[in-house]
Amino acid sequence: MFAQATLARGCALRLPVQSDTDSVHLLRAADIAEMSMGLTAPHANSGCVIVRGPHIVGEGFLYGQGSKSAELQAVERAGEHARGGTAYLNLEPGDWLGDNSAVASLIQAGVSRVVVGIRNPFEHLQGRGITALRHAGLNVDVAGEDLIDSKGSIAVALKSCRVVNAPLLYKAAYKIPFSVLKYAMTLDGKIAASSGHAAWVSGELSRARVFRVRAQSDAVIVGGNTVRRDNPSLTTRKEEGHQPVRIVMSRGLDLPEKANLWDISKSPTIVMTQKGSKKEFQKMLTDHGVEVVEFELLTPRRVMEYCYTRGFLQIMWECGGLLSAPAISSSVIHKVLAFIAPKIVGGVLAPTPVGELGMLQMTQALNLSEVEFEKVGPDMLVSGYLQPLPDLPFGNSYGGQSKGQLTFA
């Protein structure tokens, strides 16, 4: 099967290799690539680690649109030590906007070997960087294709490479941004008391985690009910660094004239509404610098399609149950982060994190995959995927898919 896969990629046949060192450095590339999250849309989260002998001689990650590629940064830091070394990349290097510095810098630096975590998920870019490196005489090994994994360490590194670029994988597979639904609830499943009071359900450490996920996201979405009830700011609580765009979905614009979200001094706000709704209120918003986008029919699917055209990679949904339910029903939510606080508030009318989904039997329940449990202060964080991480059309999967076939892990 290995020979068939290699010949199918149009490369010379060579024996697969494996090294625990490869998995360690590939994991490092994925770790530093995570520092790109929230800063690079519509580009990928990319990290590069250059190793010569037992030492790391250069590292780099993409830290914003227009910044030097991770590979070029790593090469510049390594200097002459890059020659004859090995470069570890969480993602195949590619020409994103006419910039071929990622591939060119590795070739010009004299790197002898490159280890790639995953291929680029977009068909027009997939394989181009790897082919260019091989044509230049560099040895290129791709995790899941060229590396023997007898101990399972490569699989762990490969998963990290996929997770750090989950937004890119979902964008390529579904043509919408990667969407994460976050909520905090009590042990009895309430996100607020019957009065609507919700400060605070979770603890300080959980809220700090939420701020971190916001900083990794391109936009945060809430509904009109959240604006009316909580008057949120939806910032990362940091004076410097990336702030996500705040998006409010409201069909009728039944919103307060004064709200923290109308202050765009720290971060822009977009209000998405139904065409023709409250023109005077729209003018008031635009006078404050708030962007208003009208839809013929405002739905979570239409909003995600629009966000895709804006180049957003990751969206965080911090809405209540009235909006989360249609978002889940329309299959635009990919991952769930549920913070569960050791509290009981009760109340038949107290709101829950997800509204009516039309399910009448427990057998209809949606199951999360790759579920993880983590204690965060006094709270428990339960996370998992509603829609599993998309696999690549070929390669990077231990099942040996052929090109053009999209499967899910």
Side-chain angles (χ1 to χ4, degrees), residues 139-312:
N139 292 324
V140 181
D141 294 309
V142 183
E145 299 177 31
D146 307 307
L147 302 176
I148 295 175
D149 194 27
S150 58
K151 298 180 181 180
S153 59
I154 295 297
V156 173
L158 174 56
K159 181 179 179 180
S160 294
C161 292
R162 294 178 66 214
V163 168
V164 77
N165 263 309
L168 203 69
L169 294 173
Y170 281 98
K171 182 178 180 179
Y174 298 123
K175 302 296 186 291
I176 58 174
F178 175 54
S179 287
V180 178
L181 172 63
K182 163 267 165 185
Y183 56 82
M185 69 179 189
T186 60
L187 276 178
D188 53 338
K190 311 298 184 181
I191 61 173
S194 298
S195 65
H197 184 263
W200 294 99
V201 174
S202 58
E204 289 187 14
L205 290 178
S206 293
R207 296 197 293 275
R209 177 67 66 85
V210 171
F211 298 150
R212 193 175 86 184
V213 179
R214 282 182 189 168
Q216 295 175 336
S217 303
D218 301 305
V220 179
I221 290 182
V222 295
N225 199 39
T226 299
V227 178
R228 291 187 294 270
R229 184 188 65 208
D230 299 336
N231 191 24
S233 295
L234 302 181
T235 66
T236 64
R237 301 297 195 272
K238 293 182 179 180
E239 293 298 325
E240 298 180 352
H242 169 72
Q243 296 287 348
V245 175
R246 289 91 54 92
I247 297 176
V248 179
M249 289 179 60
S250 176
R251 288 180 178 174
L253 291 183
D254 182 18
L255 301 170
E257 292 190 6
K258 294 183 178 180
N260 291 328
L261 293 179
W262 309 158
D263 178 4
I264 63 167
S265 59
K266 293 184 178 180
S267 181
T269 299
I270 304 174
V271 173
M272 299 187 177
T273 187
Q274 206 105 311
K275 191 171 184 179
S277 294
K278 289 188 177 179
K279 288 295 185 181
E280 291 186 4
F281 191 83
Q282 287 191 36
K283 185 178 184 306
M284 183 276 293
L285 291 175
T286 56
D287 287 345
H288 280 78
V290 175
E291 182 181 355
V292 178
V293 178
E294 293 182 300
F295 293 81
E296 291 289 346
L297 181 63
L298 184 68
T299 67
R301 169 66 60 173
R302 299 282 178 84
V303 167
M304 286 299 92
E305 291 170 350
Y306 175 79
C307 288
Y308 174 84
T309 65
R310 294 279 292 249
F312 295 156

Side-chain angles (χ1 to χ4, degrees), residues 35 55 69 78 87 140 172 273 301 315 329 347 366:
M35 299 171 71
H55 303 294
S69 66
V140 181
T273 187
R301 169 66 60 173
I315 304 291
S329 295
L366 302 174

